[in-house]
Amino acid sequence: MRIISGKYRGMKLAEFSGSEIRPTADRVKESLFNILYGKFAGARVLDLFCGSGNLGIESLSRGAHSVHFNDLSPRSVAVLRGNLDKLKAENFTVTNLDYSACLARVKGFDIIFIDPPYASEAGVRALEIIGANSLLNEGGVAVYERDIPFRGEIVGLEKYDERRYGKTYLTFFRVSL
């Protein structure tokens, strides 16, 4: 894994060994950040199931004002902290909480990345919490990554786009009008 663009372009990130962790592939990440082009300058970002911090660090590299990193796994947070140690002083927060506990403590984001384990329904529940509690700013976007298309409705959020990259689906949500 590497940072694709911005001030940390080319920086290699520590990765997990083994197959239980699935980082966002560079090809998918590059497409995602191209879709969100222009949204990062000054943005407040939440990387909810952050793993190694791949998406949040890319956001900082592209000019995000701040990133809140969260993951339940102490192992993930350790890898994340190693990656963050490579950065110059940045405006970021790291929490080691269940996603619902994290979402109960935060609000006011311009971009929210939701990339839970594919077998889990935690992403759908996270979207429900985000929509019900207005955690996404007007004009903001929540991006849900998983291995199947999104079906259903989320109160408070509108699905406005979905893209497929091999076995990966990126579903984009905004505040309902």
Side-chain angles (χ1 to χ4, degrees):
M1 283 186 305
R2 62 182 174 81
I3 299 301
I4 297 167
S5 186
K7 65 182 169 182
Y8 301 120
R9 182 175 187 222
M11 183 176 97
K12 290 191 174 223
L13 298 175
E15 298 183 51
F16 296 93
S17 58
S19 60
E20 71 273 7
I21 304 292
R22 175 208 36 81
T24 300
D26 280 347
R27 180 177 70 93
V28 174
K29 183 173 78 167
E30 186 166 9
S31 296
L32 168 62
F33 280 81
N34 285 339
I35 292 166
L36 297 178
Y37 181 80
K39 291 195 174 283
F40 292 96
R44 291 191 67 230
V45 177
L46 172 60
D47 194 351
L48 188 56
F49 300 86
C50 70
S52 65
N54 187 13
L55 299 177
I57 294 171
E58 185 76 38
S59 299
L60 286 171
S61 184
R62 292 174 185 239
H65 174 265
S66 62
V67 176
H68 184 121
F69 295 92
N70 182 76
D71 205 290
L72 179 61
S73 165
R75 184 171 164 227
S76 291
V77 171
V79 171
L80 167 68
R81 288 196 185 280
N83 284 329
L84 291 172
D85 285 346
K86 297 176 185 178
L87 307 180
K88 310 240 182 322
E90 291 288 349
N91 192 11
F92 60 82
T93 305
V94 177
T95 52
N96 184 204
L97 300 168
D98 176 76
Y99 72 92
S100 59
C102 176
L103 291 173
R105 297 177 180 198
V106 299
K107 66 179 179 174
F109 291 99
D110 302 300
I111 300 169
I112 301 176
F113 295 115
I114 306 162
D115 185 12
Y118 283 172
S120 166
E121 284 298 312
V124 172
R125 181 65 188 125
L127 285 166
E128 291 169 347
I129 295 168
I130 291 163
N133 296 292
S134 302
L135 302 181
L136 192 61
N137 292 334
E138 191 70 36
V141 60
V143 183
Y144 181 23
E145 180 179 334
R146 64 194 228 163
D147 61 346
I148 58 174
F150 182 84
R151 303 285 183 244
E153 301 289 324
I154 301 293
V155 173
L157 297 177
E158 169 190 12
K159 173 185 161 185
Y160 71 91
D161 195 2
E162 186 167 70
R163 311 279 178 104
R164 180 179 177 200
Y165 302 93
K167 295 179 181 179
T168 301
Y169 287 83
L170 296 177
T171 309
F172 300 81
F173 295 86
R174 61 184 167 212
V175 176
S176 295
L177 302 175

